[in-house]
Amino acid sequence: MKTMMKLFLAGVAFAGLFASAHAEDKPTIEIMSSWTSGGEAAALNVIKTEFEKRGGVWKDSSIAGFGAADAAFQNRIVAGDAPGAKQGVIGLAAADFINQGLFNPIDDVAAAGKWADALPKSIHDLISYDGKIYLAPTGAHGESWLFYSKEAFEKAGISQEPKTWDELFADLDKLKAAGMVPVAWGGQPWQQTKVFNMILLSQVGIDGFLKIYVDKDKSPASVEGVKKTLEILGKLRGYVDAGAAGRNWNDATAMLITAKAGVQFMGDWAKGEFTVAGKEPGKDYGCMIVPESKGMVYIADALWFPKTGKAETDKAQKLLAEVVMDPAVQVEFALKKGSVPMRADVDKSKLDACAQKGVELMSAGAIVPDQAIVLTPQQVGALDDFVDEYWSGGSSDAGAAAENFFAIFE
Amino acid sequence: MSIKRKPNLSATIALLPTWFVAVVVFIGTMAWSIRLSFTNSTLFPSSTYVGLAQYSKLFSSAKWLASLQNVLIFGVLYVAGCLLLGFLLAAALDRKIRFESAFRTIFLYPYAMSFVVTGLIWQWMLNPMLGIQASVRSLGWESFVLDWVVNRDMAIYALVLAGVWQGAGLVMVIALAGMRGIEAEQWKAARIDGIPVWRIYVSIILPQLGPALAAAGMLLAMGVIKTYDIVVAMTNGGPGNATEVPAKFIMDNLFGRQNLGLATAGATVLVLGVIIAVAPFRYAMHMRDKAKGAA
């Protein structure tokens, strides 16, 4: 009921939105983000430092939890009190706001910075709506990663990265036998969905993945792929600890850092946690694309720029867009966050071994979009429900579940 | 015979803002959200009507059906549990024990906490890796299991446990106040007749506490419908759908899933549910008053 009232009041607030045009002051901006874990905060700080160096005033409104930040943002928008910038993903989630005319385009910044040349075409297409550029990409993340603790692998006597799922399960058995938690499982629906997707890609390949999520194809081959995916996912249930339900991804990463657990399925932002803990890729921990996968699921972060009606914020938004796409910032940000720079023309030599692998796959085009890019938020929610229900329900009938999978597109 | 009173102009004017708030804010927004439930609104309100499509989607959603079932289980056990435990606590304190006020404070204290705090505390205690299970195991009882929060079949009862822990104090205070209002003569009379104490409580005290306990029950029942924060803090609706509740379903769809149409349909069903539950009760009261008036 309270929400309704806010929606109701939005109209009133909107009138105020166009009325105000105050004296031009220092470019001031309020940034709303959900980047609160160690690595994420360090990455955000890279942007902040450069932004302030160029004369901007930075106001942080960080909210832990992606969904919580989104909800708060919608509330603010609807109440007519939008923050100056919001960290979000590139994809359909932003489309509704842009279609309603709530965001500022940043065409001139993009033109001046020659974004069209610097960005991969697919990303450039995704941040453009009706020929205008609205989002400033910060970095791309690979989501098909399997991280493992070298110390745990050593203790369990595993000397090689597993090449197939069967080999992986054999290794997990060894970890279990050595008294460790084999899989550090993040028990929130969104994390489980990401594991589902990385397994799916390994089972159906790039074309099959796109067929399912983009074309909504329900051919026998697709159903079979989903079924095989669910079987592998189901098998993983036997390798997680009792405290997995509801666990945050960074808490799961901490289990690897302390060598309490062997492996974690996660996006490459987990590297940020390792970095903050002083762990080095290749030495303390390893990263590999999940077994049998010929490519990588990716997601791209960006900054969104809502209309606030304040001149100093408009100025700050342009400055911020410039800063975010600065080649040096892109690299520095990627190092802290564990992501891959969006610009193709940056110095990649500084990137760690894991990021190099990601860049390779990305430039080879062996990537498929995360569900948030190609599905509506309603469908993403339905997919989360589907995977969570299967994972927690303990259903052993992957075939029947695979048939139900396609209902998420309805 | 009723006395006809002239409407008092200044009082009417003074009440105008209240009327305005009641009509516009409460009824208006309610009507507005009911309207939205018949549209295909997603992130922003839309005026494309789709009939009952959102409702059919709602009732084909396993999550929604599970949430209704969960709130029913939680509601019945929570209210019953609070009333029972609250009454027992009150009866115990009523026995003129030492340190009564200290106990009263301790038992009422949980009620002063927010559900978020309660939820978090119980989540930690019931978390098999951190809480009771872990500490009992570290004492040497290796096979001890208390994993309600992460167990699909038990998670809802973990919520009830935490809820009762929090709510029983309120019932205790109300019941105790009621007991203190009962005349000492009745006790003396019952004693002389040699009636055992438990029998006095069940057959003499309890019936007289009816109105007080009904009030406490009503307060608790109203909390059940909007149960949200304790679920979010303890289980976030999981594992799977095991502790999903309607209020959380609605909030999730309002914000996280940008699904205004479905969320308002859920809210409407909830309001309808309350009306259906309360209507017979109100009707019975009305008839009783009428019958009294006629007599």
Side-chain angles (χ1 to χ4, degrees):
Chain A
M1 220 42 32
K2 215 166 161 190
T3 326
M4 295 301 120
M5 205 170 93
K6 279 181 184 153
L7 285 173
F8 191 75
L9 292 173
V12 184
F14 260 71
L17 203 139
F18 296 107
S20 57
H22 287 306
E24 302 230 338
D25 214 346
K26 268 193 161 180
T28 306
I29 202 159
E30 181 191 350
I31 319 266
M32 204 171 207
S33 93
S34 60
W35 287 338
T36 50
S37 80
E40 291 171 338
L44 189 62
N45 207 36
V46 171
I47 299 176
K48 180 185 170 185
T49 312
E50 183 64 22
F51 180 74
E52 285 177 340
K53 223 200 246 155
R54 299 191 192 180
V57 177
W58 178 280
K59 229 182 105 196
D60 200 305
S61 299
S62 291
I63 293 169
F66 194 84
D70 263 7
F73 175 68
Q74 274 178 52
N75 252 332
R76 293 276 301 269
I77 281 262
V78 158
D81 175 34
K86 161 82 167 60
Q87 158 252 324
V89 296
I90 288 174
L92 285 182
D96 257 356
F97 293 101
I98 291 166
N99 291 336
Q100 295 280 331
L102 292 167
F103 284 5
N104 278 327
I106 45 170
D107 270 348
D108 33 354
V109 183
K114 300 210 172 60
W115 289 14
D117 303 329
L119 293 170
K121 192 183 170 299
S122 60
I123 299 291
H124 195 263
D125 289 346
L126 282 168
I127 59 171
S128 315
Y129 296 82
D130 293 331
K132 279 190 189 157
I133 297 201
Y134 280 90
L135 314 176
T138 53
H141 280 289
E143 298 189 338
S144 287
W145 294 101
L146 180 70
F147 294 97
Y148 56 90
S149 156
K150 291 229 162 177
E151 191 189 330
F153 266 33
E154 233 165 73
K155 267 194 229 161
I158 305 164
S159 52
Q160 258 187 333
E161 287 184 359
K163 302 259 176 338
T164 62
W165 284 103
D166 289 336
E167 280 178 39
L168 175 65
F169 281 115
D171 288 346
L172 293 180
D173 283 328
K174 283 185 204 162
L175 284 163
K176 206 181 203 173
M180 278 168 283
V181 180
V183 181
W185 188 260
Q188 292 159 335
W190 68 269
Q191 301 184 48
Q192 294 163 180
T193 303
K194 295 212 187 292
V195 181
F196 172 83
N197 276 344
M198 54 182 107
I199 302 175
L200 183 66
L201 178 59
S202 77
Q203 296 302 304
V204 300
I206 291 176
D207 292 336
F209 190 94
L210 293 175
K211 249 192 201 157
I212 290 172
Y213 278 119
V214 181
D215 308 334
K216 278 84 177 159
D217 164 66
K218 203 194 163 175
S219 63
S222 296
V223 177
E224 184 58 26
V226 173
K227 185 181 157 223
K228 283 197 296 195
T229 304
L230 290 173
E231 280 166 359
I232 294 174
L233 186 70
K235 228 173 142 183
L236 282 172
R237 285 192 204 110
Y239 296 96
V240 307
D241 62 309
R247 183 185 285 141
N248 287 317
W249 67 267
N250 44 338
D251 295 337
T253 310
M255 292 169 71
L256 258 67
I257 291 172
T258 53
K260 283 199 185 95
V263 307
Q264 181 188 16
F265 297 91
M266 196 30 66
D268 54 16
W269 48 83
K271 281 193 311 190
E273 294 301 294
F274 285 112
T275 307
V276 169
K279 302 281 176 190
E280 274 175 46
K283 197 172 128 241
D284 303 304
Y285 69 98
C287 53
M288 55 175 281
I289 296 286
V290 289
E292 298 171 36
S293 185
K294 299 264 180 326
M296 180 172 77
V297 187
Y298 84 97
I299 191 154
D301 287 311
L303 291 180
W304 303 355
F305 300 107
K307 283 182 181 161
T308 61
K310 289 182 205 134
E312 73 264 25
T313 306
D314 288 356
K315 231 168 82 183
Q317 288 178 340
K318 289 186 175 150
L319 178 62
L320 186 60
E322 229 177 86
V323 167
V324 163
M325 275 292 280
D326 183 287
V329 171
Q330 285 258 317
V331 173
E332 191 60 23
F333 178 89
L335 286 175
K336 293 267 161 49
K337 182 108 172 7
S339 58
V340 174
M342 282 290 194
R343 294 183 74 114
D345 57 356
V346 297
D347 176 15
K348 295 188 179 93
S349 62
K350 276 192 187 168
L351 299 175
D352 61 58
C354 302
Q356 299 277 13
K357 279 191 212 173
V359 171
E360 236 168 72
L361 287 168
M362 217 170 257
S363 46
I367 50 172
V368 291
D370 174 271
Q371 72 273 11
I373 297 175
V374 286
L375 300 183
T376 65
Q378 293 88 346
Q379 291 168 333
V380 172
L383 177 62
D384 282 348
D385 286 352
F386 168 78
V387 177
D388 189 33
E389 193 50 26
Y390 177 76
W391 171 263
S392 68
S395 154
S396 53
D397 193 352
E403 289 286 336
N404 294 333
F405 168 81
F406 295 88
I408 65 169
F409 299 126
E410 279 159 15
Chain B
M1 194 182 85
S2 65
I3 302 155
K4 238 207 160 116
R5 283 170 66 181
K6 253 199 196 164
N8 183 333
L9 187 65
S10 54
T12 311
I13 291 172
L15 277 176
L16 268 180
T18 312
W19 271 108
F20 178 79
V21 168
V23 172
V24 174
V25 177
F26 293 117
I27 300 178
T29 49
M30 204 189 286
W32 202 60
S33 52
I34 292 173
R35 188 188 77 92
L36 278 184
S37 71
F38 294 105
T39 67
N40 66 351
S41 308
T42 53
L43 174 55
F44 294 98
S46 124
S47 42
T48 312
Y49 290 93
V50 292
L52 290 170
Q54 300 284 13
Y55 289 90
S56 71
K57 215 167 132 193
L58 187 68
F59 279 97
S60 59
S61 154
K63 202 167 179 124
W64 173 255
L65 296 176
S67 76
L68 289 180
Q69 197 191 341
N70 289 337
V71 84
L72 199 70
I73 296 174
F74 174 79
V76 170
L77 292 179
Y78 166 71
V79 174
C82 285
L83 287 177
L84 181 68
L85 186 63
F87 178 77
L88 290 178
L89 286 175
L93 288 186
D94 193 40
R95 303 304 304 150
K96 298 194 177 66
I97 55 160
R98 258 193 223 205
F99 310 119
E100 184 199 315
S101 65
F103 281 118
R104 218 168 41 204
T105 312
I106 291 169
F107 293 143
L108 186 61
Y109 195 75
Y111 193 70
M113 266 190 259
S114 90
F115 259 135
V116 175
V117 179
T118 304
L120 279 178
I121 295 172
W122 280 91
Q123 195 218 330
W124 289 334
M125 292 206 300
L126 295 176
N127 184 316
M129 292 288 124
L130 302 170
I132 299 170
Q133 178 178 317
S135 34
V136 172
R137 281 189 183 187
S138 70
L139 290 176
W141 185 0
E142 287 291 337
S143 58
F144 180 79
V145 176
L146 184 66
D147 60 348
W148 285 16
V149 163
V150 295
N151 183 330
R152 205 183 154 81
D153 301 320
M154 295 306 289
I156 190 81
Y157 303 108
L159 287 182
V160 171
L161 186 66
V164 169
W165 177 78
Q166 159 135 3
L170 174 80
V171 178
M172 175 203 75
V173 169
I174 293 175
L176 191 59
M179 286 176 190
R180 293 286 146 86
I182 290 168
E183 284 171 45
E185 304 296 321
Q186 295 186 16
W187 274 103
K188 282 183 194 152
R191 287 258 171 75
I192 291 166
D193 290 346
I195 301 171
V197 173
W198 68 268
R199 191 66 207 268
I200 302 177
Y201 273 108
V202 171
S203 302
I204 299 175
I205 308 292
L206 194 55
Q208 296 186 68
L209 286 183
L213 290 179
M218 184 57 98
L219 283 175
L220 295 172
M222 284 193 305
V224 169
I225 303 284
K226 22 180 215 191
T227 304
Y228 173 75
D229 25 17
I230 192 169
V231 177
V232 170
M234 258 178 100
T235 60
N236 209 11
N241 290 337
T243 54
E244 188 71 21
V245 287
K248 182 171 168 291
F249 180 94
I250 292 166
M251 290 298 280
D252 281 354
N253 278 288
L254 267 184
F255 297 109
R257 302 190 174 179
Q258 309 185 348
N259 207 346
L260 218 47
L262 193 66
T264 46
T268 307
V269 170
L270 215 53
V271 170
L272 273 180
V274 173
I275 291 174
I276 289 170
V278 172
F281 187 66
R282 294 288 305 173
Y283 184 71
M285 300 274 273
H286 176 72
M287 293 311 280
R288 204 174 67 183
D289 286 352
K290 231 172 145 183
K292 261 187 199 161

